[in-house]
Amino acid sequence: MDFFATYPVEIQLSQDSTPEYREFLLFANTGTPVTQGWAEPLVIDFEGVSFKKDKFPILIQHEVNRRFGHAISAQIVKAGEKIEYAGRTIQGPMIFARCVRSSCRAEALELEQDILAGFPFQVSIGGEILEQDRVKKGDEAIVNGQKLTNGCRIAKKTNIQEISICVFGADCNTDVEVIQNKRKDNFMTFEMWMESAGLSSIALSDSARGMCQMMFDANADPGVMKELLGMAGSKETQAPPVTSVELDNFQKEKDRLESIRMAAVNYELKLAKVNIRHGDRVFSGIEEFKAAAVDDVSIDKNAFLLACMKAELSMNKPPAVHVTKFTNSSEAATIALARMCNVPNKAVDASTGESFGLENSYSEQALEEADRNPRFRYMSLHSLFNLAIEAATGSPWHGDTHNWEFLRLAQQSMRMLESERFHSRANPNSVEFGGSTSTISVEKIFEDVGNKILESRVRTQPTTWQYFAKCVNVKDFRPTKLYQYNTLGLLTPLGNDGRFERGEQSEGYTSLNISTYGRLEGVNRNDLINDDMGVFVRMFEDLGDLAPRTHEELFYHTFLANLNTIFTSGRGNLLEAGSGLDYDGLTAATTLVKNRVTVDGMPLLSSPKYLLVGGGLEVAAARLMGDESVHQTVNSKSILTTNNPFRGKFSVVSSPYLDNTLLKQHIFEADRGKGFPNQSATQWFLMPSSTDPEGTPIAMSFLHGNRVPYVETADSDFDHLGMQWRIYTDVGCDVYKPETAVRCTGATA
């Protein structure tokens, strides 16, 4: 569960920093309770805090598109401890990190300048709560050396993912202390800087001297000062007095060039090779335009930005659509909750090549709203229930959410929102988002999120059936005939009368039968009261694993149960004697493949693609497919033969269902708890691809072609205090074209 809690912060510039590379010390957590974003105070227990990476992002206001820099080290000081760090004594409890600004965005540069100018920033940490506990009112707990008695939530295990610099924090009395930046020449004083700039022997006015002091504080390079003022820098050189007007003009020119440099940051990639027009001049790319701005004082920040904007518009790219008003609560809440449940934005199914994820299911506007709408930033079970209460009653719940009264009101609100009467009238209690009203369906959100979790798990499970089983789309539960047409003979010559001879076909079919496989799962009253999002996520991840496992077991149950009828010597697809998994066995098997014929004596053009083996033969199979040379038996002698003809010929696929006798069946009640039939430690198979035009030995059929199971909210039993969901998949598995595969029993000659 993500969290964002704000704490006191101190930012210190390190002693070895320079104006172009400053190091910041962020004091980010004092272990005190905070309430921002939570219905009750939250305390992070330092005993269970860890960092996801040693190098993690430093953001602005927790927005991933607003980057500032990265942390280069982080440390936790527990209660009662103290350490010496960067010349300072740090007293625990404290979490701090050392960071640098590594973003070149204009916003990051401006934020750095604001920090140096003394703006009172605070810091917020973002991460994931892996384990939590709750202290009820009246109970006591000691966390981070503090006694907690008024009721709060304790983050027992926390994984910090990022730290953000913010304007406001949970504690309004906190501020940001900026320590004076020091140059590499730590002992340089103002007088030494003036001397190196050639200004120590010159009489300056008070205003001019004040300007020099400002440049010294801003780390201006004295060498640059000497060059700009035309001075040699020695005490003997007598230069004319430098007036405050000259120094003022220098500062203005410095500000002009700095503003142009910052304005160019957002266009460096877009306009790297794009023509930019300014007046009558045309520049090839932004670098050339920036170089010209150094000498051309007519190019100020506004003129520079205007020219860049015109160049960008001339590229004829459609403008991006951004959310300016929050409009749809249900889709954005679904996306936010799905992201917290580790559903990817975009991913690819390794077996089919199909892309899936949130970006494939929702519009750009909904995705952006989920990122920017503050209502969805702290999503939890309770915050989702509270949205339903607000949508149904017009007012959110303001009391303690960890009680049955809150859950009962949420349940009543969800039922009200689902009722036809509620939607058939003008609803004055609809939740308002940016001037638009929208009711929210919590049950549908849970179903949608559950389906996304299931899809992600189904598409990433390492199952094997999809490699060599034909996938068939059926439209209903009635037996479906999958026809097999075989055209007999070939083209024949025309007779003297020019007439064509009518061809003959043999026709057969396989009857496909699908059934529904499912189960009921839910979360109980305690999980809902505890606001345990982890239980919800783990439940749907487990359910997501069950569907592909069901498909896998169904395939191998059908395949092994029909092994002796699929592979027979009469079909020419069974090899027994001399069929061990070695060079000679592979030679005999491929010869058998080439000798297969159709019903009318034509060559069977099906070509095996996979070498299917049990776990015990996986290493031997991989070696045969990968070795450059093999041992061949000739006249009872083993001879090393180079140029292995089988290298890379077949893709090795292994499955424990073929030889692991410890596996038990789970799907069908009559076979539940029994082992799988016809298992063997020596057998192996040459299998066609699932897309082979000649067909495959097994066909898997899915209702409407949907391999991903369905999730639906189920009505809770009267004696069940909680929420329930049913998951089901409609699938069938049948023998299709046995002759397209070859079985080798592994018997010796």
Side-chain angles (χ1 to χ4, degrees):
M1 182 180 297
D2 290 341
F3 71 95
F4 298 97
T6 312
Y7 302 89
V9 62
E10 180 181 359
I11 298 181
Q12 175 183 342
L13 301 174
S14 75
Q15 293 182 351
D16 293 330
S17 62
T18 68
E20 296 299 326
Y21 187 82
R22 296 183 176 91
E23 294 183 359
F24 299 91
L25 197 58
L26 306 181
F27 290 82
N29 190 332
T30 61
T32 56
V34 295
T35 57
Q36 180 170 311
W38 301 90
E40 58 186 352
L42 171 71
V43 181
I44 299 175
D45 189 347
F46 281 14
E47 295 293 335
V49 173
S50 61
F51 297 92
K52 191 164 188 178
K53 292 183 177 179
D54 293 334
K55 183 177 179 181
F56 54 85
I58 306 298
L59 306 178
I60 302 174
Q61 296 289 151
H62 297 295
E63 298 185 20
V64 294
N65 293 326
R66 303 175 65 190
R67 302 183 294 275
F68 177 77
H70 66 273
I72 54 180
S73 67
Q75 196 161 343
I76 301 168
V77 184
K78 298 178 182 178
E81 298 177 355
K82 63 180 180 180
I83 65 171
E84 297 293 328
Y85 191 87
R88 296 175 55 85
T89 300
I90 300 175
Q91 186 76 38
M94 180 68 69
I95 296 177
F96 65 94
R98 187 163 60 100
C99 77
V100 295
R101 177 187 60 77
S102 52
S103 173
C104 294
R105 290 171 173 255
E107 187 175 19
L109 297 170
E110 292 173 359
L111 178 63
E112 183 180 38
Q113 295 302 315
D114 287 347
I115 293 174
L116 296 174
F119 188 90
F121 285 108
Q122 296 177 8
V123 163
S124 178
I125 59 178
E128 182 181 16
I129 297 178
L130 304 176
E131 183 179 324
Q132 59 180 310
D133 198 358
R134 183 169 178 268
V135 179
K136 299 180 180 178
K137 290 184 179 180
D139 295 343
E140 291 186 2
I142 303 297
V143 180
N144 301 329
Q146 306 172 68
K147 181 183 293 186
L148 307 175
T149 59
N150 294 327
C152 65
R153 179 181 302 185
I154 302 174
K156 302 293 289 183
K157 289 186 179 180
T158 307
N159 194 322
I160 295 178
Q161 298 172 329
E162 56 92 3
I163 293 180
S164 289
I165 300 176
C166 306
V167 176
F168 296 108
D171 186 352
C172 62
N173 295 318
T174 61
D175 59 5
V176 178
E177 179 183 348
V178 181
I179 308 301
Q180 173 62 45
N181 184 26
K182 296 182 180 180
R183 286 161 295 282
K184 290 183 178 179
D185 51 345
N186 293 326
F187 301 99
M188 178 174 280
T189 63
F190 175 64
E191 287 71 19
M192 295 169 62
W193 184 88
M194 290 282 288
E195 182 178 351
S196 63
L199 298 173
S200 59
S201 60
I202 299 175
L204 300 177
S205 65
D206 291 341
S207 61
R209 191 172 184 82
M211 183 68 71
C212 290
Q213 181 68 53
M214 181 189 69
M215 294 182 188
F216 170 76
D217 293 338
N219 293 321
D221 188 346
V224 176
M225 287 290 297
K226 288 189 294 184
E227 181 180 350
L228 291 174
L229 297 176
M231 299 179 179
S234 65
K235 292 184 178 180
E236 292 76 15
T237 303
Q238 297 297 322
V242 180
T243 65
S244 60
V245 174
E246 291 175 315
L247 291 175
D248 185 55
N249 290 337
F250 164 72
Q251 185 63 32
K252 288 181 179 178
E253 180 66 7
K254 179 173 176 287
D255 291 342
R256 180 184 73 87
L257 295 177
E258 179 65 16
S259 65
I260 289 176
R261 185 180 71 85
M262 294 177 64
V265 169
N266 293 329
Y267 292 97
E268 286 178 347
L269 294 179
K270 299 177 185 177
L271 305 181
K273 298 182 180 180
V274 178
N275 290 337
I276 304 174
R277 180 179 295 275
H278 174 67
D280 297 331
R281 302 171 64 186
V282 178
F283 305 95
S284 353
I286 195 167
E287 291 300 324
E288 184 177 324
F289 189 28
K290 284 197 301 182
V294 174
D295 299 321
D296 190 347
V297 296
S298 67
I299 304 177
D300 59 7
K301 176 183 177 181
N302 293 333
F304 187 89
L305 282 174
L306 181 61
C308 289
M309 291 172 62
K310 289 181 178 179
E312 184 181 21
L313 291 173
S314 68
M315 296 168 64
N316 296 323
K317 290 185 177 180
V321 180
H322 296 287
V323 174
T324 57
K325 185 190 296 183
F326 303 130
T327 57
N328 189 310
S329 61
S330 292
E331 281 195 353
T334 302
I335 295 170
L337 190 60
R339 284 174 173 166
M340 294 186 64
C341 296
N342 303 317
V343 176
N345 279 333
K346 193 170 185 179
V348 177
D349 189 324
S351 61
T352 64
E354 299 174 347
S355 61
F356 67 96
L358 298 176
E359 291 184 6
N360 288 63
S361 305
Y362 298 98
S363 65
E364 183 180 348
Q365 292 92 329
L367 291 166
E368 188 171 355
E369 181 182 349
D371 286 332
R372 299 179 59 189
N373 194 332
R375 301 186 68 124
F376 306 132
R377 185 168 294 170
Y378 311 106
M379 287 297 294
S380 66
L381 293 176
H382 285 188
S383 61
L384 189 58
F385 291 153
N386 216 354
L387 285 178
I389 293 175
E390 185 177 357
T393 66
S395 176
W397 176 275
H398 295 289
D400 183 9
T401 59
H402 294 275
N403 57 64
W404 183 239
E405 287 74 20
F406 169 75
L407 295 180
R408 184 161 48 227
L409 179 58
Q411 187 178 43
Q412 294 172 354
S413 300
M414 286 188 286
R415 289 176 179 174
M416 183 184 300
L417 292 173
E418 296 297 326
S419 66
E420 294 183 5
R421 180 181 177 186
F422 185 82
H423 292 284
S424 63
R425 60 182 173 85
N427 176 21
N429 295 326
S430 297
V431 182
E432 186 171 326
F433 294 88
S436 175
T437 58
S438 172
T439 58
I440 188 167
S441 172
V442 174
E443 292 184 348
K444 186 177 186 303
I445 290 175
F446 277 126
E447 290 177 4
D448 290 346
V449 172
N451 276 304
K452 296 306 175 189
I453 296 175
L454 292 180
E455 180 183 27
S456 177
R457 303 294 287 192
V458 167
R459 292 185 179 275
T460 55
Q461 279 292 308
T463 54
T464 60
W465 67 265
Q466 65 270 21
Y467 294 120
F468 26 72
K470 183 178 180 63
C471 216
V472 183
N473 179 359
V474 298
K475 62 180 181 179
D476 53 41
F477 286 92
R478 292 176 295 182
T480 301
K481 292 182 179 180
L482 184 60
Y483 286 94
Q484 305 173 18
Y485 291 99
N486 296 302
T487 299
L488 305 180
L490 296 176
L491 302 179
T492 57
L494 273 63
N496 294 330
D497 56 0
R499 297 182 63 182
F500 287 89
E501 181 181 343
R502 182 175 296 278
E504 297 182 14
Q505 293 87 25
S506 66
E507 180 180 325
Y509 66 85
T510 298
S511 181
L512 303 180
N513 300 274
I514 65 171
S515 301
T516 301
Y517 303 82
R519 66 187 295 171
L520 192 67
E521 290 288 347
V523 293
N524 59 36
R525 174 176 178 266
N526 293 340
D527 296 329
L528 296 179
I529 290 180
N530 292 338
D531 196 13
D532 195 345
M533 181 69 76
V535 171
F536 174 80
V537 176
R538 289 191 296 271
M539 180 191 70
F540 275 101
E541 287 181 343
D542 290 344
L543 291 176
D545 292 342
L546 292 181
R549 285 176 178 271
T550 300
H551 298 159
E552 185 86 339
E553 181 171 321
L554 189 61
F555 171 85
Y556 283 102
H557 167 83
T558 304
F559 185 68
L560 292 173
N562 295 278
L563 207 61
N564 295 326
T565 57
I566 295 176
F567 301 98
T568 64
S569 57
R571 283 200 178 94
N573 62 353
L574 176 64
L575 184 64
E576 296 182 287
S579 61
L581 185 56
D582 52 24
Y583 183 87
D584 295 328
L586 272 173
T587 302
T590 52
T591 302
L592 189 65
V593 167
K594 297 298 182 182
N595 290 336
R596 293 175 303 171
V597 295
T598 62
V599 292
D600 62 336
M602 298 288 293
L604 185 65
L605 299 180
S606 175
S607 178
K609 183 177 180 180
Y610 297 101
L611 175 56
L612 175 61
V613 297
L617 294 178
E618 183 176 5
V619 174
R623 186 172 297 165
L624 279 171
M625 293 300 106
D627 287 348
E628 294 184 1
S629 58
V630 296
H631 285 275
Q632 182 182 9
T633 302
V634 179
N635 297 327
S636 301
K637 295 182 179 180
S638 180
I639 301 176
L640 183 64
T641 304
T642 58
N643 299 325
N644 177 11
F646 297 112
R647 187 182 184 191
K649 184 176 181 61
F650 307 111
S651 298
V652 177
V653 178
S654 69
S655 173
Y657 288 97
L658 298 181
D659 62 350
N660 189 347
T661 57
L662 297 178
L663 295 180
K664 305 299 179 185
Q665 301 188 58
H666 299 83
I667 298 178
F668 302 106
E669 185 175 358
D671 299 322
R672 198 167 295 159
K674 298 179 181 179
F676 286 84
N678 297 319
Q679 288 182 321
S680 170
T682 60
Q683 67 181 348
W684 50 279
F685 304 85
L686 292 181
M687 304 288 285
S689 166
S690 60
T691 57
D692 193 299
E694 291 288 345
T696 61
I698 300 292
M700 294 281 285
S701 49
F702 295 90
L703 185 65
H704 306 308
N706 191 5
R707 289 169 44 197
V708 179
Y710 299 92
V711 173
E712 293 178 352
T713 304
D715 295 332
S716 298
D717 299 331
F718 181 78
D719 57 350
H720 181 84
L721 296 176
M723 299 183 69
Q724 293 188 130
W725 294 273
R726 51 176 172 255
I727 173 177
Y728 60 92
T729 179
D730 304 308
V731 60
C733 186
D734 299 277
V735 177
Y736 177 39
K737 279 195 171 184
E739 64 273 12
T740 55
V742 170
R743 179 194 180 196
C744 298
T745 62
T748 58

